[in-house]
Amino acid sequence: GAGVSQSPRYKVAKRGQDVALRCDPISGHVSLFWYQQALGQGPEFLTYFQNEAQLDKSGLPSDRFFAERPEGSVSTLKIQRTQQEDSAVYLCASSLGQLISGELFFGEGSRLTVL
Amino acid sequence: RKEVEQDPGPFNVPEGATVAFNCTYSNSASQSFFWYRQDCRKEPKLLMSVYSSGNEDGRFTAQLNRASQYISLLIRDSKLSDSATYLCVVPLYSSASKIIFGSGTRLSIRP
């Protein structure tokens, strides 16, 4: 597709379940970002990939959060043993190169609700 | 101090009014700045970049004040369709590996 694709769009999980969220960036985009957005807040940085290398994971809130991009294209954000405070929209964004020379293209997000 | 801070809003102004938002940033090494727009339950989209000399795009004007470390967005002759949340965006490093969004300013334009 032409844009960033995320799946699932909606996910309801019971507390303690593991979830996996997928992001298909725009073809050829080097940079990939994950953000967490709670209701009424701005997107909070989670992690950044340049191709397959995870260059910054300082925003991951705990060791229950794990992200990978093994072949430098599709990325997966995994949350283990979900907690209610993990409920949020998880946004994936990609850019051709560095943001300085381009823009971030966002997917529609994966809305996670933990019961 | 948070890395990026914005006027919280909400701003509720009549159609045709001029409205301005500010955003302050803490990292003096940041080189580039952006305003994004986010409609309700939608993903953020780039509105405009912010250049050192300031820049204008139709009814929208963005300015940067490096000395005071803030950027601003001015919207003239506001339209109903301008109702949205406006996000200030600051890459923290020259490598643009960590890109921080402000918490957003909500704008509502009334008829």
Side-chain angles (χ1 to χ4, degrees):
Chain A
V4 178
S5 176
Q6 291 188 245
S7 62
R9 289 289 314 282
Y10 303 92
K11 174 70 179 179
V12 178
K14 291 183 179 179
R15 192 173 57 179
Q17 265 187 314
D18 296 349
V19 300
L21 308 176
R22 176 188 168 105
C23 173
D24 262 291
I26 294 172
S27 179
H29 276 198
V30 167
S31 299
L32 186 147
F33 301 81
W34 282 99
Y35 287 85
Q36 179 190 61
Q37 187 170 26
L39 191 64
Q41 301 296 315
E44 292 281 345
F45 173 85
L46 293 178
T47 187
Y48 164 72
F49 290 87
Q50 187 176 89
N51 296 307
E52 70 279 3
Q54 189 175 22
L55 298 187
D56 193 323
K57 55 181 181 179
S58 62
L60 296 176
S62 77
D63 58 8
R64 297 186 294 103
F65 286 71
F66 172 76
E68 60 182 4
R69 195 186 184 197
E71 297 178 0
S73 54
V74 171
S75 177
T76 303
L77 176 67
K78 297 179 179 177
I79 309 172
Q80 297 176 321
R81 304 181 304 281
T82 51
Q83 303 294 315
Q84 284 188 322
E85 62 262 28
D86 299 335
S87 296
V89 176
Y90 290 85
L91 293 164
C92 175
S94 70
S95 70
L96 186 60
Q98 294 182 2
L99 182 63
I100 292 171
S101 58
E103 71 180 89
L104 285 180
F105 294 87
F106 280 87
E108 293 181 293
S110 291
R111 184 177 297 274
L112 173 65
T113 302
V114 182
L115 303 177
Chain B
R1 182 181 173 186
K2 291 183 72 173
E3 292 155 325
V4 179
E5 293 193 77
Q6 291 189 240
D7 288 346
F11 287 73
N12 188 322
V13 302
E15 201 172 3
T18 295
V19 62
F21 315 132
N22 283 332
C23 167
T24 57
Y25 60 95
S26 59
N27 189 331
S28 59
S30 294
Q31 295 296 311
S32 55
F33 309 87
F34 305 86
W35 284 102
Y36 274 65
R37 170 192 169 129
Q38 186 172 27
D39 292 302
C40 187
R41 292 185 169 263
K42 297 289 188 181
E43 71 275 21
K45 292 184 179 178
L46 178 67
L47 177 65
M48 61 196 303
S49 304
V50 185
Y51 303 123
S52 298
S53 54
N55 51 302
E56 190 174 309
D57 183 3
R59 298 181 293 108
F60 297 81
T61 300
Q63 291 198 311
L64 167 65
N65 184 317
R66 286 194 185 276
S68 301
Q69 292 183 209
Y70 77 84
I71 65 174
S72 62
L73 178 66
L74 180 79
I75 306 175
R76 290 182 300 278
D77 188 25
S78 52
K79 311 291 185 191
L80 294 176
S81 57
D82 294 335
S83 297
T85 296
Y86 291 84
L87 300 161
C88 172
V89 180
V90 180
L92 284 192
Y93 312 120
S94 58
S95 65
S97 61
K98 186 169 184 177
I99 298 170
I100 302 299
F101 281 71
S103 56
T105 299
R106 284 178 56 194
L107 173 64
S108 179
I109 308 297
R110 62 179 187 270

